[in-house]
Amino acid sequence: MRLKNPGNLDEIVGDVTLACPEDAQNAMTLSNEAYSDWASEPIKNRIQILGLVLDQLDGEKEKFAKCITLENGKPFAESCSEVESALGDGRFQLDQAKKLQVHDQHTQINDAITAEVWHDSIGVFLLITPWNFPLATIVRKLIPALVWGNTAVVKPAQQTPFTAGLLFKSLEMAGLPDNVVNLVVGKGSEIGDTLVDHSALKGISFTGSTEVGTGICRRVGDRNVRLQMEMGGKNALVILKDADLKSSVESAVSAAFTCSGQWCTATSRIIVEDDMYEQFCQEFVKKVSELKMGSGMDPDVNFGPVFSFRQKEIAIDAIKKAKKEGARLLYGGNTPETIKGKSGHFVEPTVFGEVTESMHLFSEEIFGPVIGITRAKDFQDALRLANKSQYGLSFSVFTAKKELADQFLEGVACGMVHHNLHTAYRHPAMPIIGWKESGRGLPECGQFARDFFTQKKAVYRYCQ
Ligand code: NDP
């Protein structure tokens, strides 16, 4: 398969040979064979090898960032942030492993008996990742999976294999033993079932669409395979009438249009209290108009193309539907074929006002740079509108009143929520959690990663 730069379709990024089901089967089998040696390696050795991997990544930040921009299309500065985010998550997980260790401190139950909890490795994990963060999503799953003694098979999106390939070079150079992790680049629709059905599989950490994620859950059925599924979203950013206008506008623009809106925690609905509505729309559009669209390696560009022809079609369809349903186009809506002579999957940052709760733009995940602004009568109405979604990933409220913020934080039905910070803000110590159709199973990242990647053993000792 030939892959092209989404922001410059004349530039060929590379050719890739896709794996077949037999390759997928072999990868799982080999990772299973490597498991017992890796699991019996002392944790300090595992930490050391994985630390070297992160050092390699740190030393080659630019090379990784360039590769991300070429295969994904996002502006180079955003790719640099992705590399930093991968390093942040990876390092946090290694620090956790140093701190927490494999056996908890023992408890003295009485004069003769002590008890402790052990956190044992489990076996082969399947890590399935999407194209929007081709490095960070792999690193945040892979480092905790391996450090706690498991082996893994990584299945990246078929259209972003090169960043994964670079990471695998770093793993090799750091001295990771053969087959502790295997990379399988292939079509999910062709090799996914083989990977999921393999008898050695002990757990799946998946990031991608709700449709594919729930399909995998159904396929796993009642097998003893643990699941961590991070799926779709329709994140709401709520602006109340007393909010700081400047910071709410800046946050909304950044959360809606970074990655051209192709971000799981991107803001995809803006809900504004009536008294603030006109002023917010005016300032928001002004700020959006300052974005510079173009090819990701162009230094002036801070808004890249969408990832693929398919993503462009989804955005065009959303724009058509919004117009037809009576939303007011406030900015953008064009989808140029070329910018500065480079052809790419370009979609202008697009803003619709007067979006109502019955419109497609309010409820359908677009995963692109098309945002709707909805009026709310008051705080209660804003909260009701935010919760009116099948998804529950990451929401925000902007208000100067702590009391209202607290009511929002308590009343909102989602896994991650922010006050006066945008929907995509996160810290490596905190988990990624999706409620409703945004997630299944145990949360990803943060201080709970050990829980997903280990099984517990309650150990009692009687001392004579
Ligand atoms: P998909 O669900 O289509 O793909 C995600 C991954 O699953 C890819 O590696 C894909 O492979 C693989 N896959 C596809 N079919 C199967 C299958 N039958 N069995 C096993 N694996 C399979 O999502 P996209 O890549 O299109 O990513 C966009 C979606 O991801 C959006 O809906 C977005 O909301 C969601 N997302 C969620 C995040 C979160 O943390 N909640 C973060 C980022 C994105 P292939 O590429 O070969 O099809």
Side-chain angles (χ1 to χ4, degrees):
M1 187 173 60
R2 175 152 287 188
L3 298 173
K4 296 173 181 173
N5 175 354
N8 181 8
L9 293 171
D10 294 326
E11 184 177 6
I12 290 161
V13 183
D15 291 307
V16 65
T17 309
L18 296 176
C20 63
E22 199 188 346
D23 299 326
Q25 179 79 15
N26 286 341
M28 292 294 293
T29 303
L30 290 170
S31 287
N32 190 38
E33 284 168 10
Y35 168 63
S36 66
D37 282 355
W38 179 247
S40 48
E41 195 70 55
I43 191 165
K44 69 173 183 8
N45 295 359
R46 298 197 297 256
I47 292 171
Q48 196 205 1
I49 293 174
L50 295 169
L52 289 175
V53 175
L54 297 182
D55 290 346
Q56 295 262 356
L57 175 53
D58 204 349
E60 295 190 314
K61 283 180 191 170
E62 277 204 28
K63 190 170 162 187
F64 274 90
K66 190 168 174 212
C67 188
I68 294 170
T69 291
L70 290 184
E71 69 177 357
N72 169 281
K74 64 177 80 170
F76 183 68
E78 286 183 17
S79 299
C80 292
S81 304
E82 177 174 350
V83 177
E84 293 299 341
S85 159
L87 283 168
D89 275 322
R91 292 218 165 102
F92 177 82
Q93 291 304 330
L94 293 188
D95 284 349
Q96 282 288 99
K98 275 182 213 154
K99 205 165 78 188
L100 297 172
Q101 292 293 328
V102 176
H103 298 170
D104 284 352
Q105 288 260 319
H106 75 260
T107 307
Q108 196 76 42
I109 291 185
N110 59 33
D111 286 350
I113 300 172
T114 63
E116 60 203 73
V117 175
W118 291 1
H119 304 269
D120 287 359
S121 61
I122 308 176
V124 185
F125 276 79
L126 174 57
L127 313 178
I128 304 177
T129 58
W131 44 261
N132 60 340
F133 282 84
L135 177 69
T137 320
I138 299 179
V139 171
R140 75 186 189 215
K141 295 176 191 298
L142 186 61
I143 296 289
L146 299 190
V147 81
W148 293 108
N150 306 289
T151 56
V153 169
V154 174
K155 152 68 189 100
Q158 55 176 297
Q159 287 162 297
T160 52
F162 295 114
T163 311
L166 271 186
L167 179 66
F168 270 67
K169 278 207 185 97
S170 301
L171 289 159
E172 203 184 311
M173 281 166 74
L176 192 77
D178 286 351
N179 295 314
V180 165
V181 56
N182 279 295
L183 175 66
V184 184
V185 176
K187 283 186 198 294
S189 54
E190 285 175 15
I191 60 167
D193 289 353
T194 306
L195 294 167
V196 171
D197 291 348
H198 198 283
S199 58
L201 180 71
K202 292 292 186 289
I204 303 175
S205 180
F206 167 89
T207 301
S209 63
T210 298
E211 191 189 347
V212 172
T214 48
I216 290 172
C217 295
R218 275 196 299 275
R219 188 154 191 107
V220 165
D222 60 5
R223 282 161 64 206
N224 192 4
V225 170
R226 54 181 61 198
L227 296 171
Q228 177 177 73
M229 318 298 283
E230 303 297 344
M231 310 190 291
K234 189 76 189 171
N235 307 303
L237 186 141
V238 168
I239 293 147
L240 300 180
K241 61 185 175 194
D242 56 66
D244 179 81
L245 184 63
K246 188 168 179 280
S247 75
S248 53
V249 165
E250 277 169 8
S251 296
V253 173
S254 162
F257 295 117
T258 302
C259 280
S260 296
Q262 305 163 117
W263 214 4
C264 60
T265 49
T267 294
S268 47
R269 293 180 294 154
I270 299 177
I271 298 166
V272 188
E273 204 174 349
D274 226 356
D275 292 358
M276 176 70 113
Y277 182 87
E278 297 298 342
Q279 211 184 350
F280 176 84
C281 288
Q282 206 179 345
E283 292 302 312
F284 184 70
V285 164
K286 206 158 105 192
K287 193 86 194 155
V288 174
S289 70
E290 291 166 12
L291 293 172
K292 299 264 182 301
M293 178 164 71
S295 189
M297 288 309 289
D298 183 335
D300 300 333
V301 163
N302 59 6
F303 177 81
V306 294
F307 174 64
S308 61
F309 184 67
R310 180 171 165 248
Q311 291 308 119
K312 185 164 177 170
E313 278 191 328
I314 294 171
I316 290 172
D317 185 53
I319 293 168
K320 272 191 198 147
K321 275 188 193 150
K323 285 181 180 166
K324 197 168 159 213
E325 289 174 345
R328 223 174 88 209
L329 182 64
L330 299 180
Y331 189 82
N334 298 309
T335 55
E337 296 292 320
T338 58
I339 295 198
K340 286 199 202 160
K342 288 181 184 146
S343 61
H345 304 301
F346 298 114
V347 176
E348 278 183 349
T350 299
V351 184
F352 282 96
E354 306 301 348
V355 172
T356 62
E357 56 193 290
S358 63
M359 293 180 186
H360 280 88
L361 190 53
F362 184 84
S363 53
E364 268 182 16
E365 182 183 41
I366 296 162
F367 219 58
V370 185
I371 186 95
I373 310 179
T374 302
R375 281 178 196 269
K377 288 196 278 290
D378 51 24
F379 168 76
Q380 285 305 337
D381 194 36
L383 179 59
R384 179 191 68 79
L385 285 164
N387 281 336
K388 195 172 177 195
S389 174
Q390 59 169 318
Y391 300 110
L393 192 58
S394 189
F395 293 3
S396 292
V397 67
F398 279 77
T399 173
K401 293 192 176 138
K402 186 175 176 300
E403 229 176 82
L404 285 181
D406 286 345
Q407 277 184 51
F408 187 86
L409 302 180
E410 277 168 29
V412 80
C414 64
M416 294 174 278
V417 60
H418 310 76
H419 174 204
N420 291 343
L421 288 167
H422 66 65
T423 52
Y425 179 83
R426 66 171 282 264
H427 184 273
M430 296 290 278
I432 297 177
I433 321 167
W435 286 17
K436 299 179 173 176
E437 292 308 303
S438 295
R440 296 271 192 288
L442 283 180
E444 184 174 359
C445 292
Q447 50 196 299
F448 305 109
R450 180 178 66 168
D451 288 341
F452 182 67
F453 288 111
T454 60
Q455 54 194 343
K456 313 301 167 197
K457 193 178 274 172
V459 178
Y460 298 91
R461 297 178 203 263
Y462 181 80
C463 314
Q464 301 270 3

